[in-house]
Amino acid sequence: MQAARLHEYTEEMSEGLSIDEVDRPEPTRSDHVVVEVEGAGWCQTDNHIIEGMWTPYVDQDLPMTLGHENAGTIVEVGDEVTTVEEGEQVICHPVMTCGKCRACRTGDDMYCENLEFPGLNTDGGFAEYLLTSERSVIPLDTVDPVEIAPHADAGITAYHAAKKAVDELYPGSYSVAIGIGGLGHIGVQALDAMSAAEIVAVDIKDEALDLAEECGADYTVNSTDEDVVEAVESITEGDGATQILDFVGADETTSLGPDIVAPGGDHHIVGYGGDIHQPAQDLVDAEMAYRGTLVGKYSELEELVALVEQGTMDLHTSEYSLDEINEVAEKLEHREIEGRAVIKP
Ligand SMILES: [Zn+2]
Ligand SMILES: [Zn+2]
């Protein structure tokens, strides 16, 4: 089968991956599931993996097939798989979990002690077939795997952050969503679906802000022409934002937290790449927290699939073939992808 593989870390996206002919994966464990990949979302994390940014955090054995936002049709199952069968369409939670450790038993899939992460530390879905496990797949009723694929990571991550934010939001409070791209436009819809708080969307592009309005934002701020701190101060009448969802995670956005947060609020870091350099006293004075977001739980992906099947969430995607994969990487690097790019291997 064909697979888009990383052989060497590079800053040069135009030649990041090469299309190799490799063996089709086979189930080697009784709980394994082989999925014929119909859609695999391209993610900023793929750019970061190509650049080598993940090497301090995970062991990667190159060459490796990338692709962690996968959906398709089950073509083979291990001997003890009982909950899904061949021919079923599924979306894949991005990690394979053991089901036996404490984290698995409390539902915190991302903290599994024996975690495997296809596309990050094992072969992923930019290939005709993907090896995953029974615990990772969620059957799809009505939605097309190509359209829903990016929810496997982009969607679940935005939803997980929004769900944590919604716990702290209340009618009359404000949330600020920074960066209305692939994740941000899902995050705004999730906030809108689950909370009565007002949503302020911030981006550098008017088109992104138009999309934010379609997704349910009540206010928009173009940070190219407007001062974000003044704009949030004026919109919230001086109260600040109870929850900030930062889908960018650059120095310029992480530094906004202390200046726009309401007392006791949180600045959720969803996008990454920059640093946080705030005086400790800023956090003490506002009693604010920076909170990280690492994908989400299996149960949250199920909830998100339910929202999609109800027609509550709308994902903006564009489709590409496996041969166009480096072009997609370059386009995302130059912020030329609206919504989310999906590779169809
Ligand atoms: Zn991703
Ligand atoms: Zn586990």
Side-chain angles (χ1 to χ4, degrees):
M1 68 167 188
Q2 289 203 313
R5 287 164 76 78
L6 176 67
H7 288 257
E8 231 179 307
Y9 301 111
T10 173
E11 299 288 322
E12 195 41 71
M13 291 302 140
S14 63
E15 50 195 41
L17 302 182
S18 60
I19 309 294
D20 298 349
E21 191 62 36
V22 296
D23 290 340
R24 200 198 103 161
E26 306 276 343
T28 53
R29 264 185 2 215
S30 59
D31 67 329
H32 271 158
V33 168
V34 180
V35 174
E36 181 172 9
V37 182
E38 283 167 52
W42 184 273
C43 180
Q44 183 79 52
T45 289
D46 294 310
N47 295 62
H48 292 330
I49 294 169
I50 293 171
E51 290 159 355
M53 264 177 68
W54 276 87
T55 52
Y57 302 95
V58 290
D59 290 329
Q60 293 175 333
D61 211 358
L62 303 188
M64 182 181 77
T65 307
L66 268 53
H68 56 268
E69 303 187 345
N70 307 309
T73 306
I74 295 179
V75 291
E76 199 176 347
V77 297
D79 292 343
E80 290 181 69
V81 172
T82 56
T83 58
V84 287
E85 56 187 30
E86 281 168 40
E88 254 183 286
Q89 294 195 312
V90 292
I91 184 167
C92 307
H93 187 280
V95 299
M96 294 159 74
T97 50
C98 74
K100 296 173 183 126
C101 71
R102 178 178 169 84
C104 280
R105 289 171 193 272
T106 55
D108 288 312
D109 300 271
M110 295 309 300
Y111 308 160
C112 171
E113 289 167 16
N114 303 298
L115 181 122
E116 291 171 273
F117 202 146
L120 209 73
N121 69 3
T122 67
D123 285 332
F126 295 141
E128 292 171 67
Y129 298 91
L130 167 78
L131 184 68
T132 183
S133 71
E134 182 178 22
R135 277 180 60 80
S136 307
V137 294
I138 295 171
L140 300 172
D141 263 348
T142 52
V143 288
D144 177 4
V146 178
E147 278 165 30
I148 202 171
H151 279 314
D153 175 50
I156 189 182
T157 303
Y159 182 83
H160 180 58
K163 199 167 172 185
K164 286 194 287 185
V166 165
D167 281 347
E168 311 291 332
L169 290 166
Y170 53 91
S173 65
Y174 293 85
S175 60
V176 169
I178 305 168
I180 313 301
L183 270 78
H185 87 286
I186 301 167
V188 170
Q189 292 179 73
L191 285 171
D192 190 42
M194 295 190 289
S195 157
E198 302 278 296
I199 303 166
V200 184
V202 178
D203 202 285
I204 54 173
K205 293 202 298 192
D206 284 332
E207 306 87 81
L209 295 170
D210 292 343
L211 175 59
E213 276 183 340
E214 280 171 42
C215 291
D218 302 289
Y219 302 89
T220 58
V221 178
N222 185 322
S223 55
T224 315
D225 341 307
E226 281 179 83
D227 182 87
V228 176
V229 177
E230 280 171 23
V232 171
E233 165 107 15
S234 146
I235 291 165
T236 64
E237 295 175 354
D239 290 345
T242 301
Q243 297 288 297
I244 301 157
L245 280 82
D246 186 347
F247 296 103
V248 180
D251 291 16
E252 306 81 66
T253 59
T254 62
S255 62
L256 287 169
D259 293 330
I260 63 173
V261 75
D266 300 308
H267 185 133
H268 298 268
I269 303 291
V270 190
Y272 58 94
D275 294 300
I276 299 170
H277 297 286
Q278 297 312 123
Q281 192 177 353
D282 277 359
L283 275 68
V284 170
D285 188 51
E287 199 167 66
M288 68 163 292
Y290 284 101
R291 297 174 69 182
T293 306
L294 179 66
V295 192
K297 303 173 183 186
Y298 178 94
S299 55
E300 290 171 331
L301 186 55
E302 273 187 330
E303 292 161 20
L304 183 56
V305 169
L307 285 175
V308 174
E309 295 205 326
Q310 285 164 15
T312 308
M313 302 286 290
D314 203 11
L315 187 62
H316 292 247
T317 55
S318 46
E319 298 174 13
Y320 299 87
S321 68
L322 197 61
D323 299 334
E324 296 171 298
I325 202 158
N326 290 328
E327 220 173 286
V328 171
E330 266 196 298
K331 278 190 172 175
L332 188 68
E333 202 69 11
H334 300 127
R335 295 183 57 101
E336 287 164 7
I337 299 221
E338 295 294 328
R340 204 77 179 165
V342 180
I343 310 294
K344 293 167 67 179

